[in-house]
Amino acid sequence: MYQSSEITQQIAQTAKDFAIRNIKPHVMEWDEGQEFPLHIFKKMGSLGLMGVLVPDEYGGSGLSYFEYKTIIEEIAKVCGGIGLSLAAHNSLCTGHILSFGNEEQKRKYLPKLATCEWLGAWGLTEPNTGSDAGNMKCTATKEGDHWVINGTKSWITHGKSGDVAVVIARTGEPRTKNNATAFVVERGISGFSAGKKENKLGMRASETTEMIFDNCVVPDENRLGEVGDGFKQSMKVLDGGRISIASLSLGIAKGAFEAAARYSKERYQFDQPIANFQGISFKLADMATEIDAADLLTLRACELKNQNKKVSCEAAMAKYFASEVAVKTATEAVQIFGGNGYTKEFPVEKYYRDAKLCTIGEGTSEIQKLVIAREVLQGF
Ligand SMILES: Cc1cc2nc3c(=O)[nH]c(=O)nc-3n(C[C@H](O)[C@H](O)[C@H](O)COP(=O)(O)OP(=O)(O)OC[C@H]3O[C@@H](n4cnc5c(N)ncnc54)[C@H](O)[C@@H]3O)c2cc1C
């Protein structure tokens, strides 16, 4: 049985209080205006929420995946979009540098990322290569002591506002092994710009844009790890990232469940609360059971990650299951709210829109099943 520690409970309370005070009053304004509230991330940086897994020696909070899960959940209960950006900054950009940067790179970037003096982005996806990310077209060509990057990355969280981005570009022949390399690219260097901003169904407070590289010159000292290791590194980064999307899904699912449970006791039809009808209470029973199962899968993945063990299958299971549960829970929550669920006056329509991203981002449900099937079929 996973018992949350005192420190995890304290951190959960801090994140919850922060979300209720600073995020909740503005949720619909940011959603409708598709506004990315950078100042909120700066504030979260001062609370240690932007470098949760970064050790103290690099200016981070030095916490474990248990606290990280809890923080994302509490923020996502209030706004999925802010939760998504928090996850992308911590797990993807910061996580990649933490796992694969050399000492000099860690000292240079991690303290700024952990406080959110610099916001991070991470670019793997391209217009024509999402699930098949290994087939990337964006190239980096070595010229003397620097690399020249050309191409477009799409669907990048903080592609415009990010001060620093980890970019994975092809450095070998197409469709060969070990043909990609990761680089840290700083905002403001020549040849690096943001492209179109996506107008999204949900997660609208999270910024998603293209990143365009046009003869962008990056010094070799910005290369993360060995030439050719970029794709392998990315898959490891995504193992951690999938735990954060599972946590994001849990936050959305729990937020939707709590709203629906409360409403089912307040809403009267046929002279009684709708919770009295088995058709409604059984929905809530299913939602609660599935959320608990998703929670336990996510906790197991957190535990393995804390122990530095291989977690590809367990993280994929947690992400796959929790994201599908978030979509189902949010859908049933809208149903329980009836007509009210279909308006922006009540919170569940936003959970419904936000939840869908969780089955797509950082590998779709189908791709999670590929990862799980590959693992479970080994040895037969
Ligand atoms: C809001 C948002 C934020 C994002 N942030 C980032 C980011 O910060 N950085 C980044 O690099 N990317 C980011 N992404 C991209 C995201 O990771 C991709 O959208 C995702 O991996 C899916 O790729 P795709 O959109 O190209 O879909 P496709 O790969 O085109 O997939 C289309 C459909 O085909 C299915 N499919 C594909 N291949 C297979 C197969 N082999 N077997 C079965 N089914 C298959 C998919 O499951 C899906 O249903 C973001 C996306 C969104 C929507």
Side-chain angles (χ1 to χ4, degrees), residues 156-208:
I156 307 307
T157 304
H158 317 145
K160 178 165 188 271
S161 297
D163 299 284
V164 63
V166 171
V167 179
I168 299 90
R170 189 161 55 70
T171 47
E173 291 304 308
R175 290 285 186 207
T176 57
K177 265 194 145 192
N178 304 332
N179 69 354
T181 305
F183 301 89
V184 185
V185 183
E186 293 176 26
R187 180 71 53 197
I189 67 165
S190 150
F192 175 30
S193 59
K196 93 172 147 109
K197 178 172 170 168
E198 303 297 342
N199 184 5
K200 305 194 298 292
L201 168 73
M203 302 292 198
R204 289 169 59 82
S206 177
E207 177 191 275
T208 317

Side-chain angles (χ1 to χ4, degrees), residues 122 124-125 130-131 155-157 200 357 360 362-364 366 370:
W122 188 78
L124 176 67
T125 307
S131 302
W155 294 103
I156 307 307
T157 304
K200 305 194 298 292
L357 176 274
I360 297 171
E362 301 200 25
T364 61
E366 290 78 11
L370 284 184

